[in-house]
Amino acid sequence: MRISARNQIKGTVVEVKKGATTSHVLVDIGGGKIVMSSITNEAVDELGIKAKGAVTVVIKASDVMIGVD
């Protein structure tokens, strides 16, 4: 896979939580860190995403927000 996004992190799918139209895919990226992505159920099915599968998390955002209490 070749794409222009520079923020790519390899990981392993921990869990896929399917909702009515959207799935939450939890990915273990190592070091005790989990990243969650919300994608369509259709995309999960088309890509064959399943627990224990190897994936690459691609982060491409125009805004990065930080909040504090």
Side-chain angles (χ1 to χ4, degrees), residues 19-42:
T21 59
T22 304
S23 292
H24 292 149
V25 180
L26 283 76
V27 180
D28 181 346
I29 61 168
K33 306 257 190 282
I34 301 289
V35 173
M36 184 191 70
S37 177
S38 297
I39 62 175
T40 65
N41 291 336
E42 183 178 351

Side-chain angles (χ1 to χ4, degrees), residues 13 38-39 44 52:
V13 176
S38 297
I39 62 175
V44 168
K52 299 184 181 174

Side-chain angles (χ1 to χ4, degrees), residues 2 11 21 24 31 34 45 49 59 64 69:
R2 295 179 61 197
T21 59
H24 292 149
I34 301 289
D45 295 339
I49 297 172
I59 301 166
V64 176
D69 288 327

